[in-house]
Amino acid sequence: MKMISFYNGYQIPQLGLGTFLMSPEQAEATVIEAIKVGYRHFDTAQMYQNEVAIGNELKKSGLKREEYYLTTKLGNHHSVEVTKKKIEQSLKDLKTNYVDLFLIHWPNHDLEINLRTWRVIEEYYKKGVFKAIGVSNFTRYQMDNLLEKAVIKPMANQIETHPALSQVPTKKYLDEREIRLISYAPLMRGHFNESPYFEVLAEIANNHKATIAQIAIAWGLNREIIMIPKTVTKSRLIENFAARKIVLTANEMEQIFALNRGRRYYTDPANTIHGDLLE
Ligand SMILES: NC(=O)c1ccc[n+]([C@@H]2O[C@H](COP(=O)([O-])OP(=O)(O)OC[C@H]3O[C@@H](n4cnc5c(N)ncnc54)[C@H](OP(=O)(O)O)[C@@H]3O)[C@@H](O)[C@H]2O)c1
């Protein structure tokens, strides 16, 4: 499995398993299968309410802690004290004493609150409890502000990215600042059977004797993006994992870039109240 380095040198596998909307029971069953297939990178979040299930299965798996990689995300913005409690809870739930990549799940509209949360995350990074740190759903404006004030710069931004939302300008912006892009909804939440995406992706899939899902994943991998497709289906775990072997031609990459419609399947982070709640 290809590893991707953050600017601090820490590496995680480029292809992982997304776990949003997996119930604890589904997460348990899926993690067991995913490990058999070869997945070693698991993307969860406090909001997904499956950290306990994932932590349990990884613990039981027999894998050593350094043999698998965990991303989790702080569900919300709180006082410093409560933020620390939430972080400690994640560590307990995931049955680990460190997290490979820890993210702020959603920005707050108040830049000072983002910074206050970030200071806590920096503290855990300095203690070695987080090996890499970053954000999710941050707009350029929010990222600029964080970069200006951060002691430790964020290493990743997890944002919606797929053939209908290629994020070319944002990827360039992040690349220039050595921030890794992690794609969420890499399979367009299953909507790739819609026109015009289907026609183009199906033809490219045919060229490679592959499936459309595999082409969507390979397109992201070919761009050095960290990909975390989610599935609870055993055959799709295998299918999605095999996408790492597909190399698309420059022309095929361009054909997929041309599908960009700025189409989102999730809320636009610039217009959401996620992350605005405080306890
Ligand atoms: N940071 C954030 O705010 C944020 C937001 C959303 C998501 N995420 C992360 O990103 C991960 C991926 O995004 P996502 O779960 O929203 O969507 P996704 O990975 O784009 O799509 C998942 C959907 O595609 C289906 N699917 C999976 N493999 C397939 C295949 N080979 N062929 C056909 N259909 C397939 C799945 O069905 P089955 O499961 O039924 O097989 C599921 O319905 C999440 O799980 C989560 O970890 C982060």
Side-chain angles (χ1 to χ4, degrees):
M1 166 65 68
K2 180 170 169 183
M3 304 292 282
I4 289 279
S5 293
F6 296 107
Y7 74 73
N8 68 346
Y10 197 72
Q11 298 187 322
I12 63 170
Q14 190 184 7
L15 180 59
L17 181 69
T19 67
F20 181 44
L21 296 180
M22 279 190 201
S23 65
E25 296 72 27
Q26 284 178 322
E28 278 174 15
T30 309
V31 167
I32 299 171
E33 286 306 323
I35 292 170
K36 283 189 215 156
V37 173
Y39 288 82
R40 293 294 181 268
H41 166 186
F42 302 88
D43 181 278
T44 180
Q46 294 171 351
M47 276 183 194
Y48 303 170
Q49 300 188 347
N50 56 23
E51 288 176 301
V52 172
I54 292 171
N56 280 344
E57 290 316 311
L58 287 167
K59 190 86 188 169
K60 279 197 271 172
S61 71
L63 288 173
K64 293 193 203 110
R65 179 63 189 87
E66 62 275 20
E67 288 174 330
Y68 63 85
Y69 298 80
L70 282 168
T71 297
T72 195
K73 313 179 195 91
L74 183 72
N76 231 314
H77 296 268
H78 314 273
S79 64
V80 168
E81 194 192 337
V82 174
T83 303
K84 288 183 180 173
K85 276 192 191 145
K86 300 275 178 188
I87 290 171
E88 298 299 333
Q89 190 63 47
S90 270
L91 292 166
K92 196 170 159 224
D93 290 349
L94 289 166
K95 290 167 194 61
T96 181
N97 53 12
Y98 73 90
V99 169
D100 298 277
L101 176 62
F102 193 87
L103 308 176
I104 298 180
H105 206 148
W106 289 89
N108 191 277
H109 69 276
D110 181 338
L111 300 176
E112 287 307 311
I113 291 176
N114 288 332
L115 187 60
R116 185 180 74 191
T117 303
W118 187 251
R119 292 280 180 248
V120 179
I121 292 176
E122 285 178 332
E123 205 179 304
Y124 278 82
Y125 174 77
K126 285 184 200 154
K127 285 195 285 193
V129 178
F130 300 155
K131 303 298 179 190
I133 53 177
V135 296
S136 178
N137 294 300
F138 268 48
T139 63
R140 190 182 287 211
Y141 174 64
Q142 288 154 343
M143 190 62 106
D144 279 342
N145 184 268
L146 190 57
L147 286 169
E148 199 184 299
K149 311 230 170 98
V151 175
I152 320 259
K153 279 194 317 167
M155 296 166 198
N157 192 7
Q158 186 178 119
I159 55 171
E160 182 173 347
T161 311
H162 44 67
L165 182 68
S166 57
Q167 300 279 20
V168 170
T170 306
K171 169 96 170 35
K172 184 168 179 286
Y173 165 92
L174 294 173
D175 283 350
E176 286 166 357
R177 287 156 185 80
E178 297 184 292
I179 300 167
R180 289 291 183 186
L181 196 164
I182 305 171
S183 151
Y184 75 66
L187 300 175
M188 304 159 71
R189 303 190 82 181
H191 288 269
F192 45 61
N193 286 331
E194 294 168 8
S195 192
Y197 319 111
F198 176 78
E199 293 79 354
V200 173
L201 295 171
E203 191 185 323
I204 298 172
N206 194 36
N207 297 343
H208 291 268
K209 297 199 172 20
T211 64
I212 293 180
Q214 288 177 323
I215 297 302
I217 296 167
W219 174 74
L221 295 176
N222 278 253
R223 296 173 70 196
E224 298 285 295
I225 290 175
I226 296 170
M227 301 293 280
I228 46 166
K230 172 260 174 187
T231 181
V232 293
T233 314
K234 198 172 161 182
S235 61
R236 290 174 174 172
L237 280 172
I238 298 166
E239 176 185 332
N240 297 348
F241 199 66
R244 68 198 193 288
K245 301 208 174 113
I246 300 172
V247 180
L248 300 174
T249 65
N251 183 40
E252 288 168 338
M253 291 294 288
E254 284 309 317
Q255 282 180 269
I256 303 174
F257 279 120
L259 291 174
N260 181 45
R261 298 291 183 277
R263 170 81 163 91
R264 289 181 186 275
Y265 297 93
Y266 279 101
T267 324
D268 183 345
N271 293 295
T272 178
I273 55 154
H274 295 312
D276 270 4
L277 304 169
L278 277 167
E279 278 170 27

